[in-house]
Amino acid sequence: MAGIRRDEVHGTGHDMSGSHADASNMFSGKVAIVSGGASGIGLATANLLAELGARVIATDIAGRPDGLGRTVDFMSHDVTDRDAWRAVGARTVAALGHVDILVNCVGVLSEGNLKTTSLAEWRRVIAINVEGTFNGCQAIIPLMPPSGGSIVNMASVSGSRGDANLIAYTASKGAVVMLTREVALDCARRGTNIRCNSVSPGVVDTAMIADFFAARPSATLPEWLASQPVARTIAPAEVAELIVFLSGPEASFVTGADFPIDCGASA
Amino acid sequence: MQPLRNKIALVTGGASGLGLACVKRFAHEGAKAIIGDIAPPPAGLDAEYVRLDVTSEESWHAALAEIVDRHGRIDVLLNGAGVALDGDDVFGCTQETWRRTIAVNLDGTFLGCKLVSEIMAANGGGSIINIASINGVVGDGGIVAEGVAAYSASKGAVRLLTRSAALDLAARATNVRCNAILPGYFATPMVLDYLAAHPHPGQARSRIETAHPLGRMGLPHELTGMVMYLASSRSAAVTGAEFVVDGGYTAR
């Protein structure tokens, strides 16, 4: 995991007595489901949560990747299929009793403007990025203890900034930001202590972005990087650090918010 | 291994409230915490103290000279000094109240960004964290009937100061990052003193609590984790960004 040393993860569960929590046990006893866990940010997040003591179930439409930590369980899963979500939830609860953390990391990037984007492609992007996230929240929230749970959804800098050539993608990410607020408010209104937040990364070094540029779109990677005041790619492990922060007890007063990690792109 | 071990962290307004909570947490994480405040800190802290009036450029120069002389560098600056003054409604806010609020909350943050970023840049980088507020995003809307006119203006300005400072520091390749935290209401002396002096403290407290979807105020230790994240290299890809810690206040 480039960019971040493992020893940089500090302890949490900040307790008022001043004793130091063991970073490797920060998520001990917690159960986490990470969709999109076969690559990129999802894979890095699944591995980091597992390293910090969580029982992690990674899911993906692709098969189990080599890079997934040995202790991470894996299930094949299409996020647009509501029955498949219910099955993931049921299998998790049967094995582990409940779910504490849901990270919705599935996403697809698609080039196309108003003229070139077909309805089929529009629906595919919205189904995976938005409906997949919605399905996850709806299926998994009832499996969380009302005393506390945390959901982190994957938005993007493209959720707050238009791009004529990414019309379906930007719309889908804007939807994720607002869906996140609604889920947060709904969970709070029900008196549960379940929190929901989103993260909005800039250009991350993932297969999603590599595949996008491999298809020779009209934009180039250097152009995308130039849109970031600090012009470098962001490591998946760096985004995982933010997701894990939001997933854990350190963020107990954080809900309904979106968090940029974008090298200054949204400034 | 602690990511903040031996980092030099200056906390303005560190003698009380959220600043003090962060000072304790920095020390807990192995950093060298330095309180910059007009008031001396409570006794028995694992922290140094420099007298600092954030509204005074001369005071900044003197305090920073003392810190650099002692430690040679500053790795983290938390601009936590802030005031919320009585009589801060749009119609009643006196010029004195206006200027004092802007001087502490905004000028103080500007001077910190300006002067400390130079020290950081000369030493290879650093992280600046400004404390804005949810009232830099939304107006008060009758939660605090007494009004937060100058306060809101100052905090909105801190948000955009943060963004512009981050862009400037990135353009000059300083490796200095600058981000803002936007807290909701926290159970700090600023808020608790306000409630204690209120003719109907129960009602006032209830109005504040129900304005947060989580139904309560934050506790100071619930902000410190966010500060530690932004202070450390775990957030190396984060600059010019805003981090809301508000129990859902601004989500609706």
Side-chain angles (χ1 to χ4, degrees), chain A residues 8 10 18 250 252-253 259 263, chain B residues 25 28 222 233-234 237 243 247:
Chain A
E8 287 181 337
H10 69 71
E250 295 254 64
S252 53
F253 199 55
F259 295 85
C263 287
Chain B
R25 181 71 189 271
H28 181 71
E222 295 184 286
S233 59
R234 295 163 68 201
F243 292 78

Side-chain angles (χ1 to χ4, degrees), chain A residues 7-8 10-11 14 18-20 181 185 188 229 232 238 241-242 245 250 252-253 255-256 259-260 262-264 266-267, chain B residues 1-3 25 28 163 167 213 216-218 222 225-226 229 233-234 236-237 239-240 243-244 246-248 250-252:
Chain A
D7 63 9
E8 287 181 337
H10 69 71
H14 180 50
S19 74
H20 211 82
R181 291 181 171 211
L185 292 174
R232 67 165 172 93
E238 295 186 277
E241 293 279 355
L242 178 56
F245 168 77
E250 295 254 64
S252 53
F253 199 55
T255 194
F259 295 85
D262 63 7
C263 287
S266 59
Chain B
M1 183 65 200
Q2 299 162 289
R25 181 71 189 271
H28 181 71
R163 291 173 177 234
L167 292 174
R216 63 182 178 88
M217 289 192 271
E222 295 184 286
M226 187 87 257
Y229 170 77
S233 59
R234 295 163 68 201
T239 194
F243 292 78
V244 175
D246 70 351
T250 54
R252 64 187 174 196

Side-chain angles (χ1 to χ4, degrees), chain B residues 74-118:
Chain B
I74 298 174
D75 302 301
V76 177
L77 169 65
L78 175 63
N79 280 309
V83 291
L85 301 177
D86 290 339
D88 189 15
D89 63 287
V90 172
F91 298 105
C93 180
T94 62
Q95 190 163 56
E96 188 191 2
T97 294
W98 173 269
R99 286 191 174 157
R100 177 70 186 157
T101 306
I102 297 293
V104 176
N105 296 2
L106 182 55
D107 296 355
T109 304
F110 166 72
L111 288 170
C113 291
K114 176 184 167 76
L115 301 174
V116 176
S117 66
E118 283 182 33

Side-chain angles (χ1 to χ4, degrees), chain A residues 167-193:
Chain A
I167 194 159
Y169 185 73
T170 55
S172 75
K173 293 303 186 179
V176 168
V177 172
M178 286 314 297
L179 171 65
T180 298
R181 291 181 171 211
E182 280 300 313
V183 170
L185 292 174
D186 195 35
C187 288
R189 196 179 295 127
R190 291 162 193 271
T192 71
N193 200 26

